[in-house]
Each structure stands twice: as structure tokens, then as C-alpha cells.
């Protein structure tokens, strides 16, 4: 009977922690790079969550010599070897960083974020971060220094764990493509509005979405204005919520 009571209490506590009213409040960190005198610098970050590669974006980056930080998951790496080879052939342009092993939100309590089930426990958060780094290591890339979780939302306790692993956490200041769901015109408008110090987030894994066309248009508009593109490793990133300090 006592064993049953202990088991019942454990279940009750788990259900209480997982209930919507007791879910941790999540944060969506921002990130800027230090401004410099001149025409201005922006950092382009592109998430490769799963699926395939938007060659419209990849080709435009290579042809126009636009540097970018690419956050890749283990899932995406398995199915996009050709794109990875192109990126590795241009180390002056591309920096590959950690987007997790399975594209699981870095939230250590059970809940859903934009319909995606969170990691749900501290152990699962650590597994997501470490498996993403391991997947990058297999490609021969340098060890990643930055991490961005799926959905870019985190529990504060997960942020602390990830920082203890030695990773900076990549927020952003401009959501360029609304998770790749925006149209080309709105995506181009958002990206073209970037100013000195901004960090742009968009996606490079949705080749059938109209947003990809807008990403290219917005980037070319920024280049025409004379802004300089930098990778995160080439600039001092300043994030809130304890993500970089």
C-alpha cells in the first residue's frame, strides 16, 4: 500500500508540473552585435531545422559573398550532404553552429511550443544540445560555440544548463521570415529594414516556401545600402537573459 501511495504521489507531482498552469514561463532572447563606425554591420543567421536546402538562398550567398551563420540540426545534416560540402568549400562565408540533434525546444518541463513538444526534462535538454554538437563533429566542422534551440524559446533553467556546457545562445533582433511562413514581400521588407547591430533570423530549409525569395531580396537590398555582413564568431554578440555573459 505504501509503495502504491509513493507511486501515486510521483504521478501526481509529474502531472502538476506538466499542467499548463504550472508550465515554466519561457523567454525568447534577443541578440545584437556591437555597432561599429561606418555604414553598419548586421549578422545573418539561418536555421536549417530539417527537410532540404533552399538553393535560392545558398546560391545567392555564394554569388554575392554574403557571410552567414547556419544553425544546423542533426536531422538536416543527414539529408543535405551536398549543401554542407558547398558551405565547407567556402569557410570564409559559412559558420556552422548547433541547432540541436532532433530539433527539440530547449525547455526542461513538458509543454508544447508552436505545436512542438519540448525536451521536457533537464536530461533531455542536455541530450538535445550534445547530440547536435556530436552531429556537427562527424562532418569535420570545428566544435560549435553557439546554440539555438528549436522555436528559439527557452526555459530560464535550460539557458543556465546550456551556458554551463560552454555554449552561447543565439537570440536575434529581427525575425526575417516568421518561421519561413511569411510571403516574399513581407520577408524582404523585414530583412531590408535591418540596421547596424541587428541579428537576423530566417530559414534555409524550406525550398518550396515563398519566404526564401524574400530572404534573397532583403539581403540584396541591405548589400545595396552598403551594410556589411558578419558571422557571429566575427563579432561581439550581446544577448539578454544571460545568454552570452
Amino acid at each position: 500500500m505504501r509503495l502504491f501511495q509513493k507511486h501515486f504521489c510521483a504521478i501526481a507531482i509529474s502531472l502538476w508540473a506538466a499542467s499548463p498552469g504550472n508550465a515554466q514561463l519561457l523567454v525568447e532572447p534577443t541578440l545584437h552585435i556591437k555597432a561599429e563606425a561606418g555604414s553598419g554591420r548586421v549578422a545573418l543567421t539561418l536555421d536549417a531545422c530539417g527537410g532540404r536546402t533552399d538553393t535560392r538562398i545558398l546560391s545567392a550567398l555564394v554569388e554575392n559573398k554574403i557571410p552567414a551563420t547556419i544553425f544546423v540540426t542533426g536531422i538536416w545534416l543527414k539529408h543535405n550532404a551536398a549543401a554542407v560540402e558547398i558551405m565547407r568549400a567556402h569557410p570564409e562565408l559559412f559558420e556552422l553552429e548547433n541547432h540541436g540533434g532532433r530539433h527539440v525546444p530547449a525547455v526542461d518541463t513538458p509543454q508544447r511550443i508552436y505545436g512542438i513538444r519540448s525536451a521536457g526534462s533537464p536530461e533531455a535538454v542536455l541530450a538535445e544540445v550534445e547530440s547536435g554538437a556530436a552531429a556537427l563533429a562527424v562532418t569535420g566542422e570545428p566544435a560549435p560555440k553557439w546554440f539555438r534551440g528549436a522555436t528559439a524559446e527557452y526555459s530560464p533553467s535550460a539557458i543556465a544548463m546550456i551556458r554551463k556546457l560552454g555554449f552561447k545562445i543565439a537570440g536575434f533582433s529581427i525575425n526575417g521570415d516568421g518561421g519561413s511562413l511569411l510571403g516574399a514581400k513581407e520577408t524582404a521588407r523585414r530583412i531590408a529594414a535591418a540596421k547596424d547591430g541587428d541579428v537576423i533570423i530566417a530559414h534555409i530549409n524550406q525550398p518550396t516556401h515563398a519566404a526564401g525569395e524574400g530572404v534573397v531580396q532583403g539581403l540584396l537590398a541591405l548589400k545595396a545600402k552598403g551594410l556589411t555582413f558578419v558571422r557571429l564568431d566575427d563579432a561581439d554578440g550581446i544577448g539578454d537573459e544571460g545568454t552570452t555573459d
Side-chain angles (χ1 to χ4, degrees), residues 52-67:
R52 297 295 177 179
T53 304
D54 192 332
T55 55
R56 296 169 298 182
I57 298 174
L58 182 57
S59 296
L61 297 178
V62 173
E63 291 169 6
N64 292 278
K65 296 181 172 56
I66 296 176

Side-chain angles (χ1 to χ4, degrees), residues 2-3 33-34 126 147 182 195 235:
R2 184 171 296 176
L3 180 61
I33 57 173
K34 281 189 177 179
L126 295 177
F147 175 80
L182 295 176
K195 296 179 175 60

Side-chain angles (χ1 to χ4, degrees), residues 32 53 83 157 185 195 205:
H32 290 83
T53 304
S157 48
K185 184 176 180 180
K195 296 179 175 60
N205 67 305

Side-chain angles (χ1 to χ4, degrees), residues 156-228:
S157 48
I159 288 176
M161 285 190 290
I162 296 165
R163 293 291 289 124
K164 284 182 179 179
L165 290 175
F167 292 97
K168 294 181 179 180
I169 297 173
F172 55 91
S173 60
I174 291 182
N175 185 339
D177 63 357
S180 83
L181 298 178
L182 295 176
K185 184 176 180 180
E186 176 62 13
T187 298
R189 184 194 70 77
R190 290 188 179 196
I191 292 176
K195 296 179 175 60
D196 185 25
D198 274 325
V199 175
I200 302 165
I201 184 176
H203 292 74
I204 195 171
N205 67 305
Q206 296 290 355
T208 64
H209 290 197
E213 177 185 346
V215 170
V216 174
Q217 293 172 356
L219 294 176
L220 294 182
L222 289 177
K223 185 179 180 183
K225 291 179 185 178
L227 271 74
T228 300

